[in-house]
Amino acid sequence: MWSFYRLFITMLTIIGSVFSCMSQEQPDTIRCLSKVNEVLVVREGDVTKVIANALDGNNETMYYYYKVDVTENDSTDNCGFSDSWAMEVPFYKPDNRECDFDANKGEKTHKIRRAVVGFDHTYWGWRFNYNDKAHIKNCFELGFRELIGVSWQKGKRGPSFSTGVGFGMFRYLAQDGYCFGMAGDRLEMLPLQEGAIIDHSWLDMFTFHVPVLLELPLGKEGLLTIGGVLNFNSYARAMTQFKTGNNKYKIDSKGLQQNLFTADIMASVTCYGIGIYASWSPMKLFNKPYGPELKSWSIGLEFTAH
């Protein structure tokens, strides 16, 4: 389990470094002047001319003339939508995504904007089991559907498409009077022996997400998200601890033969980056020979970078 924690912390460190580098902007200041009466800016191709009518230290009128060559990389006239890779994280909006106007053409643009997204579609919710429940309670889940990913958006407020890689986990709890245990290669719900007192009994599942999401704006600050999520269920562990009299017992089961790949269908509605989500998992977590044929659906809170 510690290897997953170390991997998670390492990914957070890398993302923080990338965000710090990408958030740095090139300076666009030509010259700072005080006591300016009039400023004229003229653009001729890649050359920008600035003529200023200002007062010097003796309050005498002086004219300042500057000429700057502007290359395509540092020009902000078209906002760089076709080459924008600014990091998007919850509750943060890069300034260079607020413009949607092409000064050269004198009209609004509709270019495809690309952006790196981080910690997007963060979720916490409750998972409800159906099909073969097998004395298992409903459980909680949490994670990032897009720990890091890429989004493409048409125009300033158009629909967007995103995909990436995320990480999550969920925990199943045993019903009172039962615990998780192994019968050969099969995970089963076993009744507690008479006189035994349960401390805890749960099944933890750790999974990597690969989402494919379509995001549709709702008004000015709302967002509707629909899509599918492929899950790689990389690690599962069942833990049971109980006591009889003065003796304590611990059962730790690994190698549970879970289905490595499952898929979810999800939808969410958020406003100002906070909202609710619902998902449905139609695929079995275990095949019949190896454990309960669990299926589930879930609801909860979601946080987005929009």
Side-chain angles (χ1 to χ4, degrees):
M1 181 181 294
W2 286 107
S3 61
F4 287 93
Y5 292 152
R6 288 194 294 267
L7 175 61
F8 184 70
I9 293 173
T10 302
M11 293 179 70
L12 294 184
T13 304
I14 294 173
I15 292 171
S17 301
V18 172
F19 173 68
S20 176
C21 293
M22 299 186 68
S23 63
Q24 297 178 3
E25 298 182 355
Q26 295 296 326
D28 57 1
T29 302
I30 299 176
R31 178 70 181 270
C32 294
L33 298 174
S34 59
K35 300 180 181 181
V36 177
N37 297 323
E38 185 179 61
V39 176
L40 177 63
V41 180
V42 180
R43 178 72 181 273
E44 297 177 358
D46 292 334
V47 178
T48 299
K49 298 179 180 179
V50 180
I51 303 174
N53 181 355
L55 297 179
D56 63 5
N58 298 323
N59 291 329
E60 295 181 358
T61 301
M62 298 290 292
Y63 285 92
Y64 295 87
Y65 177 86
Y66 302 95
K67 183 172 68 172
V68 180
D69 293 332
V70 182
T71 63
E72 183 178 355
N73 290 334
D74 60 17
S75 174
T76 58
D77 287 344
N78 61 6
C79 301
F81 285 173
S82 60
D83 296 303
S84 175
W85 290 93
M87 171 69 81
E88 283 190 343
V89 296
F91 311 113
Y92 173 80
K93 292 183 178 180
D95 292 338
N96 63 349
R97 291 181 60 87
E98 296 302 320
C99 179
D100 196 15
F101 186 80
D102 192 326
N104 291 327
K105 297 181 179 180
E107 60 184 16
K108 290 185 178 180
T109 63
H110 298 283
K111 296 182 180 180
I112 300 296
R113 299 189 293 180
R114 296 188 297 266
V116 176
V117 294
F119 303 96
D120 202 9
H121 295 285
T122 304
Y123 65 92
W124 180 92
W126 200 253
R127 178 174 289 224
F128 299 89
N129 306 316
Y130 69 98
N131 199 38
D132 185 10
K133 297 182 66 171
H135 305 292
I136 297 177
K137 291 182 180 180
N138 298 324
C139 66
F140 71 90
E141 61 182 7
L142 56 88
F144 308 93
R145 286 193 175 88
E146 286 183 337
L147 187 62
I148 188 167
V150 182
S151 71
W152 294 264
Q153 185 174 21
K154 182 71 172 179
K156 179 181 178 181
R157 290 295 300 167
S160 64
F161 168 83
S162 68
T163 186
V165 178
F167 177 82
M169 67 86 61
F170 51 89
R171 170 172 290 179
Y172 289 107
L173 304 175
Q175 289 185 351
D176 296 339
Y178 289 85
C179 65
F180 289 98
M182 298 295 293
D185 290 335
R186 177 179 173 81
L187 178 69
E188 292 187 350
M189 303 304 299
L190 306 176
L192 289 178
Q193 61 184 6
E194 186 176 353
I197 300 175
I198 190 75
D199 286 336
H200 59 258
S201 183
W202 58 57
L203 165 65
D204 286 339
M205 185 72 67
F206 295 86
T207 180
F208 289 96
H209 301 311
V210 179
V212 179
L213 305 176
L214 175 64
E215 300 169 329
L216 304 172
L218 297 177
K220 187 176 180 180
E221 296 293 343
L223 186 70
L224 170 64
T225 303
I226 55 176
V229 182
L230 176 65
N231 304 308
F232 173 53
N233 303 311
S234 58
Y235 183 79
R237 179 182 184 183
M239 176 76 69
T240 298
Q241 185 169 309
F242 65 95
K243 60 182 178 181
T244 57
N246 295 325
N247 298 320
K248 287 187 176 182
Y249 300 92
K250 182 178 180 181
I251 304 175
D252 189 357
S253 304
K254 303 176 183 178
L256 304 184
Q257 305 293 332
Q258 73 274 11
N259 282 330
L260 290 180
F261 295 98
T262 58
D264 301 341
I265 300 173
M266 63 83 60
S268 68
V269 177
T270 59
C271 185
Y272 291 98
I274 304 175
I276 58 175
Y277 77 91
S279 67
W280 176 44
S281 303
M283 301 182 66
K284 301 173 184 178
L285 189 60
F286 292 94
N287 288 323
K288 189 173 182 179
Y290 300 110
E293 299 180 59
L294 285 170
K295 298 179 182 179
S296 60
W297 59 277
S298 59
I299 57 175
L301 298 176
E302 182 162 290
F303 305 90
T304 68
H306 303 273

